[in-house]
Amino acid sequence: MDGKILNEFRQDLVSGEWVLFATGRAKRPQSDKKKEEDWKYKSAENCPFEDFKKSDNEPVWFCPNETDWQIAVIKNKFPAVKPGICKPAMTFGPFNVQEAVGFHDLFVYRDHDKHFADFSKDEIVDVIRSYKKRYLEISKSGGCVRYILIFHNFGREAGASIYHPHSQIISMPILPPDVSRSVNGSHNFYKDHNERVYDVLMKWEKEHGNRIIYENDLFIAFCPFVSKTPYEVRIFSRDSHAHFEKMPDEFDKYLADVLLVVLNKIRKALGDPPYNLFVHTAPAETDLESVHEFYSWHIEILPKVKVAAGFEMGTGMDINVVDPDEAAEELRNTDV
Ligand SMILES: [Zn+2]
């Protein structure tokens, strides 16, 4: 298999779930010990995000401008999907294979050592606006964009291969399994109950109140009754819109407020754990015109306090060792 680079989605013949193969990315998996030594960009000296020209990184745009940028959108040098012309899925023997065509950009934040929890509210507002702006640009780029994921990994154990704070945006020509399950599940719930599942969830959380961590006029953050992992937090907008990218600009400061409060509570209560944060929004291209009737965009934050093991991998079911009621109580009572 010398020199063969795979860059494609392959669909599992049994489950129907897609897996992305991107073997041309920076490095092959290594043992943890090697990884520790290898996290060499921890010092700003060798950091590729201090000088884009020197590190041969290609900027897309800067916020607010190139000289005084606080956020730079750059092309990922080792993208998991690549720009190209979209072709229909092909068959390979009994399998469906889809070329991994798309955008994979990074949002790089100016300060090498300043993490989200340390940002000001205005700085988080700029992050949210940059997310929306780049999302809309990519979604308007033409065919082949079925889903766009925005995510942020904090800490080595959460998968951040480069220390310098950055988020990622990636578009894909297929609907990823988690999104597909949520969109179909919320659609089916709507058809069966004539109610939006997220409204039912929020109403129930509001009534009980014991899993709510924080809320403001427009957003609510809670540990879901069915949390997959300890201290899992979900943030929902009260207007229950399907599309994050279409959120009105006046909402941004409220979202920034709830994000900052939650991230600071997590940092303080759990001792600055690594975490994954992502935005789940409706599919970019959908023939479900009515998606707004049953789907609500939201943000999930998953602190990395445990590692998936044999049981989880073998069953596709998580074991959560912390009662979400207690997780929420702890976070709610943490002053920040
Ligand atoms: Zn840096």
Short mmCIF file of all heavy atoms in Angstrom, two decimals, residues 148-196:
data_model
loop_
_atom_site.label_atom_id
_atom_site.label_comp_id
_atom_site.label_asym_id
_atom_site.label_seq_id
_atom_site.Cartn_x
_atom_site.Cartn_y
_atom_site.Cartn_z
N ILE A 148 -22.29 20.71 7.21
CA ILE A 148 -21.14 21.52 7.63
C ILE A 148 -21.06 21.45 9.15
O ILE A 148 -22.01 21.80 9.84
CB ILE A 148 -21.27 22.99 7.18
CG1 ILE A 148 -21.43 23.08 5.66
CG2 ILE A 148 -20.05 23.79 7.64
CD1 ILE A 148 -21.74 24.47 5.14
N LEU A 149 -19.94 20.97 9.64
CA LEU A 149 -19.75 20.86 11.09
C LEU A 149 -18.74 21.89 11.57
O LEU A 149 -17.66 22.03 10.98
CB LEU A 149 -19.25 19.45 11.46
CG LEU A 149 -19.05 19.23 12.97
CD1 LEU A 149 -20.40 19.05 13.67
CD2 LEU A 149 -18.17 18.02 13.25
N ILE A 150 -19.09 22.60 12.65
CA ILE A 150 -18.16 23.51 13.31
C ILE A 150 -17.83 22.88 14.66
O ILE A 150 -18.75 22.48 15.39
CB ILE A 150 -18.80 24.89 13.53
CG1 ILE A 150 -19.09 25.56 12.18
CG2 ILE A 150 -17.90 25.79 14.39
CD1 ILE A 150 -20.01 26.76 12.28
N PHE A 151 -16.54 22.78 14.97
CA PHE A 151 -16.19 22.20 16.27
C PHE A 151 -14.91 22.79 16.82
O PHE A 151 -14.13 23.43 16.11
CB PHE A 151 -16.10 20.67 16.18
CG PHE A 151 -15.02 20.13 15.26
CD1 PHE A 151 -13.81 19.68 15.77
CD2 PHE A 151 -15.23 20.07 13.89
CE1 PHE A 151 -12.83 19.17 14.92
CE2 PHE A 151 -14.25 19.56 13.02
CZ PHE A 151 -13.05 19.12 13.55
N HIS A 152 -14.74 22.58 18.12
CA HIS A 152 -13.59 23.14 18.83
C HIS A 152 -13.08 22.09 19.81
O HIS A 152 -13.84 21.62 20.66
CB HIS A 152 -14.05 24.40 19.58
CG HIS A 152 -12.95 25.10 20.32
ND1 HIS A 152 -12.09 25.99 19.70
CD2 HIS A 152 -12.55 25.05 21.62
CE1 HIS A 152 -11.22 26.45 20.59
NE2 HIS A 152 -11.48 25.90 21.77
N ASN A 153 -11.83 21.69 19.64
CA ASN A 153 -11.23 20.73 20.56
C ASN A 153 -10.32 21.49 21.51
O ASN A 153 -9.47 22.25 21.06
CB ASN A 153 -10.37 19.71 19.81
CG ASN A 153 -11.17 18.89 18.80
OD1 ASN A 153 -12.36 18.65 18.99
ND2 ASN A 153 -10.52 18.49 17.71
N PHE A 154 -10.48 21.28 22.80
CA PHE A 154 -9.59 21.92 23.76
C PHE A 154 -8.81 20.84 24.50
O PHE A 154 -9.38 19.98 25.16
CB PHE A 154 -10.38 22.78 24.76
CG PHE A 154 -9.54 23.29 25.90
CD1 PHE A 154 -8.55 24.23 25.67
CD2 PHE A 154 -9.72 22.81 27.19
CE1 PHE A 154 -7.75 24.69 26.71
CE2 PHE A 154 -8.93 23.26 28.24
CZ PHE A 154 -7.94 24.21 28.00
N GLY A 155 -7.49 20.91 24.38
CA GLY A 155 -6.64 19.97 25.12
C GLY A 155 -6.24 18.76 24.29
O GLY A 155 -6.97 18.32 23.40
N ARG A 156 -5.09 18.25 24.59
CA ARG A 156 -4.50 17.13 23.86
C ARG A 156 -5.41 15.90 23.84
O ARG A 156 -5.64 15.30 22.81
CB ARG A 156 -3.16 16.74 24.54
CG ARG A 156 -2.31 15.82 23.72
CD ARG A 156 -1.72 16.60 22.57
NE ARG A 156 -0.88 15.78 21.71
CZ ARG A 156 -1.31 15.18 20.60
NH1 ARG A 156 -2.58 15.23 20.28
NH2 ARG A 156 -0.48 14.51 19.84
N GLU A 157 -5.98 15.58 25.01
CA GLU A 157 -6.79 14.36 25.11
C GLU A 157 -8.12 14.52 24.39
O GLU A 157 -8.82 13.54 24.14
CB GLU A 157 -7.04 13.99 26.58
CG GLU A 157 -5.79 13.67 27.38
CD GLU A 157 -5.08 14.94 27.86
OE1 GLU A 157 -5.62 16.05 27.63
OE2 GLU A 157 -3.99 14.82 28.44
N ALA A 158 -8.48 15.76 24.06
CA ALA A 158 -9.71 15.97 23.30
C ALA A 158 -9.41 16.01 21.80
O ALA A 158 -10.29 16.29 21.00
CB ALA A 158 -10.40 17.25 23.74
N GLY A 159 -8.16 15.75 21.46
CA GLY A 159 -7.82 15.63 20.04
C GLY A 159 -7.20 16.86 19.40
O GLY A 159 -7.00 16.89 18.19
N ALA A 160 -6.89 17.88 20.21
CA ALA A 160 -6.24 19.07 19.63
C ALA A 160 -4.78 18.75 19.35
O ALA A 160 -3.98 18.65 20.27
CB ALA A 160 -6.36 20.26 20.58
N SER A 161 -4.43 18.55 18.09
CA SER A 161 -3.06 18.14 17.79
C SER A 161 -2.11 19.34 17.83
O SER A 161 -0.92 19.18 18.00
CB SER A 161 -2.99 17.45 16.43
OG SER A 161 -3.53 18.29 15.45
N ILE A 162 -2.67 20.53 17.68
CA ILE A 162 -1.86 21.75 17.80
C ILE A 162 -2.35 22.53 19.02
O ILE A 162 -3.56 22.73 19.18
CB ILE A 162 -1.95 22.59 16.51
CG1 ILE A 162 -1.22 21.84 15.39
CG2 ILE A 162 -1.37 23.99 16.72
CD1 ILE A 162 -1.30 22.49 14.04
N TYR A 163 -1.42 22.93 19.87
CA TYR A 163 -1.77 23.59 21.13
C TYR A 163 -2.49 24.92 20.91
O TYR A 163 -3.46 25.23 21.61
CB TYR A 163 -0.47 23.80 21.93
CG TYR A 163 -0.62 24.65 23.15
CD1 TYR A 163 -1.02 24.10 24.36
CD2 TYR A 163 -0.34 26.02 23.10
CE1 TYR A 163 -1.14 24.89 25.50
CE2 TYR A 163 -0.46 26.83 24.23
CZ TYR A 163 -0.86 26.26 25.42
OH TYR A 163 -0.98 27.04 26.53
N HIS A 164 -2.01 25.69 19.97
CA HIS A 164 -2.54 27.05 19.75
C HIS A 164 -4.06 27.00 19.54
O HIS A 164 -4.55 26.25 18.69
CB HIS A 164 -1.85 27.65 18.52
CG HIS A 164 -2.11 29.10 18.34
ND1 HIS A 164 -1.10 30.05 18.37
CD2 HIS A 164 -3.26 29.77 18.13
CE1 HIS A 164 -1.64 31.24 18.19
NE2 HIS A 164 -2.95 31.10 18.03
N PRO A 165 -4.83 27.82 20.29
CA PRO A 165 -6.30 27.74 20.23
C PRO A 165 -6.85 27.94 18.81
O PRO A 165 -6.49 28.90 18.14
CB PRO A 165 -6.76 28.88 21.14
CG PRO A 165 -5.60 29.14 22.04
CD PRO A 165 -4.37 28.82 21.26
N HIS A 166 -7.68 27.02 18.41
CA HIS A 166 -8.29 27.10 17.08
C HIS A 166 -9.56 26.27 17.04
O HIS A 166 -9.71 25.33 17.84
CB HIS A 166 -7.31 26.63 16.00
CG HIS A 166 -6.91 25.18 16.12
ND1 HIS A 166 -6.02 24.73 17.07
CD2 HIS A 166 -7.29 24.09 15.42
CE1 HIS A 166 -5.87 23.42 16.95
NE2 HIS A 166 -6.63 23.00 15.95
N SER A 167 -10.48 26.61 16.16
CA SER A 167 -11.67 25.80 15.92
C SER A 167 -11.59 25.32 14.47
O SER A 167 -10.73 25.75 13.71
CB SER A 167 -12.95 26.63 16.09
OG SER A 167 -12.98 27.30 17.32
N GLN A 168 -12.52 24.44 14.11
CA GLN A 168 -12.48 23.90 12.75
C GLN A 168 -13.87 23.93 12.12
O GLN A 168 -14.89 23.87 12.83
CB GLN A 168 -12.00 22.44 12.78
CG GLN A 168 -10.68 22.28 13.49
CD GLN A 168 -10.09 20.88 13.35
OE1 GLN A 168 -10.15 20.27 12.29
NE2 GLN A 168 -9.52 20.38 14.42
N ILE A 169 -13.88 24.01 10.81
CA ILE A 169 -15.15 23.89 10.07
C ILE A 169 -14.88 22.94 8.91
O ILE A 169 -13.86 23.05 8.23
CB ILE A 169 -15.68 25.27 9.61
CG1 ILE A 169 -17.05 25.14 8.93
CG2 ILE A 169 -14.70 26.00 8.70
CD1 ILE A 169 -17.80 26.47 8.78
N ILE A 170 -15.78 21.99 8.73
CA ILE A 170 -15.56 20.99 7.68
C ILE A 170 -16.88 20.68 6.98
O ILE A 170 -17.91 20.52 7.64
CB ILE A 170 -14.90 19.72 8.31
CG1 ILE A 170 -14.58 18.68 7.25
CG2 ILE A 170 -15.75 19.10 9.39
CD1 ILE A 170 -13.64 17.59 7.75
N SER A 171 -16.85 20.68 5.68
CA SER A 171 -18.07 20.35 4.94
C SER A 171 -17.94 18.96 4.36
O SER A 171 -16.83 18.48 4.12
CB SER A 171 -18.30 21.36 3.81
OG SER A 171 -17.39 21.15 2.76
N MET A 172 -19.06 18.31 4.18
CA MET A 172 -19.01 16.94 3.64
C MET A 172 -20.18 16.65 2.71
O MET A 172 -21.25 17.25 2.86
CB MET A 172 -18.89 15.91 4.77
CG MET A 172 -19.89 16.04 5.87
SD MET A 172 -19.25 15.40 7.45
CE MET A 172 -18.89 16.91 8.34
N PRO A 173 -19.93 15.75 1.75
CA PRO A 173 -20.96 15.46 0.76
C PRO A 173 -21.97 14.41 1.22
O PRO A 173 -22.84 14.02 0.45
CB PRO A 173 -20.14 14.94 -0.43
CG PRO A 173 -18.92 14.34 0.19
CD PRO A 173 -18.65 15.09 1.46
N ILE A 174 -21.83 13.95 2.45
CA ILE A 174 -22.76 12.95 2.99
C ILE A 174 -23.31 13.47 4.31
O ILE A 174 -22.77 14.41 4.88
CB ILE A 174 -22.07 11.58 3.21
CG1 ILE A 174 -20.84 11.73 4.11
CG2 ILE A 174 -21.65 10.93 1.91
CD1 ILE A 174 -21.04 11.37 5.51
N LEU A 175 -24.38 12.85 4.78
CA LEU A 175 -24.94 13.22 6.08
C LEU A 175 -24.33 12.32 7.15
O LEU A 175 -24.50 11.10 7.08
CB LEU A 175 -26.45 13.05 6.03
CG LEU A 175 -27.30 13.98 6.88
CD1 LEU A 175 -26.95 15.43 6.66
CD2 LEU A 175 -28.78 13.74 6.57
N PRO A 176 -23.58 12.89 8.13
CA PRO A 176 -22.95 12.02 9.12
C PRO A 176 -23.99 11.29 9.99
O PRO A 176 -25.09 11.82 10.19
CB PRO A 176 -22.10 12.97 9.96
CG PRO A 176 -22.50 14.35 9.60
CD PRO A 176 -23.29 14.31 8.34
N PRO A 177 -23.65 10.09 10.49
CA PRO A 177 -24.62 9.26 11.21
C PRO A 177 -25.34 9.96 12.36
O PRO A 177 -26.56 9.86 12.47
CB PRO A 177 -23.77 8.10 11.73
CG PRO A 177 -22.59 8.05 10.84
CD PRO A 177 -22.35 9.44 10.34
N ASP A 178 -24.61 10.71 13.19
CA ASP A 178 -25.24 11.36 14.35
C ASP A 178 -26.31 12.36 13.91
O ASP A 178 -27.37 12.45 14.52
CB ASP A 178 -24.18 12.13 15.16
CG ASP A 178 -23.82 11.37 16.43
OD1 ASP A 178 -24.21 10.19 16.54
OD2 ASP A 178 -23.17 11.98 17.30
N VAL A 179 -25.98 13.10 12.86
CA VAL A 179 -26.90 14.13 12.38
C VAL A 179 -28.09 13.47 11.72
O VAL A 179 -29.26 13.84 11.95
CB VAL A 179 -26.17 15.05 11.37
CG1 VAL A 179 -27.14 16.02 10.74
CG2 VAL A 179 -25.02 15.77 12.04
N SER A 180 -27.81 12.46 10.93
CA SER A 180 -28.86 11.73 10.24
C SER A 180 -29.86 11.14 11.25
O SER A 180 -31.07 11.26 11.09
CB SER A 180 -28.16 10.65 9.41
OG SER A 180 -29.04 9.77 8.89
N ARG A 181 -29.32 10.56 12.34
CA ARG A 181 -30.19 9.99 13.38
C ARG A 181 -31.03 11.06 14.05
O ARG A 181 -32.22 10.89 14.30
CB ARG A 181 -29.34 9.28 14.45
CG ARG A 181 -29.03 7.84 14.11
CD ARG A 181 -28.48 7.11 15.33
NE ARG A 181 -27.19 7.65 15.74
CZ ARG A 181 -26.03 7.17 15.34
NH1 ARG A 181 -25.97 6.12 14.53
NH2 ARG A 181 -24.89 7.71 15.73
N SER A 182 -30.41 12.24 14.35
CA SER A 182 -31.16 13.31 15.04
C SER A 182 -32.22 13.93 14.14
O SER A 182 -33.33 14.22 14.59
CB SER A 182 -30.22 14.43 15.48
OG SER A 182 -29.24 13.93 16.32
N VAL A 183 -31.86 14.14 12.87
CA VAL A 183 -32.83 14.75 11.95
C VAL A 183 -34.00 13.79 11.73
O VAL A 183 -35.17 14.17 11.83
CB VAL A 183 -32.16 15.16 10.62
CG1 VAL A 183 -33.19 15.56 9.59
CG2 VAL A 183 -31.16 16.30 10.86
N ASN A 184 -33.67 12.52 11.46
CA ASN A 184 -34.74 11.54 11.25
C ASN A 184 -35.56 11.32 12.52
O ASN A 184 -36.78 11.23 12.48
CB ASN A 184 -34.17 10.20 10.78
CG ASN A 184 -33.61 10.30 9.38
OD1 ASN A 184 -34.06 11.13 8.59
ND2 ASN A 184 -32.61 9.49 9.07
N GLY A 185 -34.85 11.25 13.66
CA GLY A 185 -35.54 11.02 14.92
C GLY A 185 -36.48 12.15 15.26
O GLY A 185 -37.63 11.92 15.68
N SER A 186 -36.05 13.40 15.05
CA SER A 186 -36.92 14.53 15.39
C SER A 186 -38.07 14.64 14.39
O SER A 186 -39.18 15.03 14.74
CB SER A 186 -36.13 15.84 15.48
OG SER A 186 -35.40 16.08 14.31
N HIS A 187 -37.80 14.24 13.15
CA HIS A 187 -38.87 14.24 12.13
C HIS A 187 -39.94 13.20 12.49
O HIS A 187 -41.14 13.48 12.46
CB HIS A 187 -38.26 13.96 10.76
CG HIS A 187 -39.19 14.27 9.62
ND1 HIS A 187 -39.03 13.74 8.36
CD2 HIS A 187 -40.29 15.04 9.56
CE1 HIS A 187 -40.00 14.18 7.58
NE2 HIS A 187 -40.77 14.97 8.28
N ASN A 188 -39.48 12.01 12.85
CA ASN A 188 -40.43 10.94 13.21
C ASN A 188 -41.24 11.31 14.45
O ASN A 188 -42.44 11.06 14.51
CB ASN A 188 -39.68 9.62 13.46
CG ASN A 188 -39.16 9.05 12.15
OD1 ASN A 188 -39.67 9.36 11.08
ND2 ASN A 188 -38.11 8.24 12.23
N PHE A 189 -40.56 11.92 15.42
CA PHE A 189 -41.27 12.34 16.64
C PHE A 189 -42.37 13.33 16.28
O PHE A 189 -43.49 13.24 16.78
CB PHE A 189 -40.28 12.99 17.63
CG PHE A 189 -40.87 13.23 18.99
CD1 PHE A 189 -40.68 12.31 20.01
CD2 PHE A 189 -41.59 14.39 19.26
CE1 PHE A 189 -41.22 12.53 21.28
CE2 PHE A 189 -42.13 14.62 20.52
CZ PHE A 189 -41.94 13.68 21.52
N TYR A 190 -42.03 14.25 15.39
CA TYR A 190 -43.00 15.28 14.97
C TYR A 190 -44.21 14.63 14.28
O TYR A 190 -45.36 14.98 14.53
CB TYR A 190 -42.31 16.28 14.05
CG TYR A 190 -43.19 17.44 13.65
CD1 TYR A 190 -43.50 18.44 14.56
CD2 TYR A 190 -43.73 17.52 12.36
CE1 TYR A 190 -44.31 19.50 14.22
CE2 TYR A 190 -44.54 18.59 12.01
CZ TYR A 190 -44.83 19.57 12.93
OH TYR A 190 -45.63 20.62 12.59
N LYS A 191 -43.90 13.66 13.42
CA LYS A 191 -44.99 12.98 12.70
C LYS A 191 -45.87 12.19 13.66
O LYS A 191 -47.09 12.16 13.53
CB LYS A 191 -44.41 12.07 11.61
CG LYS A 191 -43.93 12.86 10.39
CD LYS A 191 -43.55 11.95 9.22
CE LYS A 191 -42.24 11.26 9.48
NZ LYS A 191 -41.67 10.57 8.33
N ASP A 192 -45.22 11.56 14.66
CA ASP A 192 -45.98 10.72 15.59
C ASP A 192 -46.75 11.52 16.63
O ASP A 192 -47.83 11.11 17.06
CB ASP A 192 -45.03 9.76 16.34
CG ASP A 192 -44.44 8.72 15.41
OD1 ASP A 192 -44.96 8.58 14.27
OD2 ASP A 192 -43.46 8.06 15.79
N HIS A 193 -46.17 12.64 17.10
CA HIS A 193 -46.76 13.34 18.24
C HIS A 193 -47.29 14.73 17.90
O HIS A 193 -47.86 15.40 18.76
CB HIS A 193 -45.74 13.49 19.37
CG HIS A 193 -45.23 12.19 19.88
ND1 HIS A 193 -44.16 11.52 19.31
CD2 HIS A 193 -45.65 11.41 20.90
CE1 HIS A 193 -43.94 10.40 19.98
NE2 HIS A 193 -44.83 10.30 20.94
N ASN A 194 -47.00 15.17 16.65
CA ASN A 194 -47.39 16.50 16.25
C ASN A 194 -46.84 17.58 17.19
O ASN A 194 -47.46 18.60 17.47
CB ASN A 194 -48.93 16.61 16.17
CG ASN A 194 -49.35 17.69 15.18
OD1 ASN A 194 -48.57 18.00 14.27
ND2 ASN A 194 -50.52 18.25 15.35
N GLU A 195 -45.64 17.31 17.68
CA GLU A 195 -44.96 18.23 18.59
C GLU A 195 -43.48 18.18 18.27
O GLU A 195 -42.98 17.14 17.83
CB GLU A 195 -45.14 17.74 20.03
CG GLU A 195 -46.04 18.59 20.89
CD GLU A 195 -46.02 18.11 22.34
OE1 GLU A 195 -46.12 16.88 22.56
OE2 GLU A 195 -45.90 18.95 23.23
N ARG A 196 -42.77 19.29 18.54
CA ARG A 196 -41.33 19.28 18.30
C ARG A 196 -40.65 18.61 19.50
O ARG A 196 -40.87 19.00 20.64
CB ARG A 196 -40.79 20.70 18.15
CG ARG A 196 -41.54 21.51 17.13
CD ARG A 196 -41.10 22.96 17.14
NE ARG A 196 -39.95 23.19 16.27
CZ ARG A 196 -38.69 23.25 16.65
NH1 ARG A 196 -38.37 23.11 17.92
NH2 ARG A 196 -37.73 23.47 15.78
#
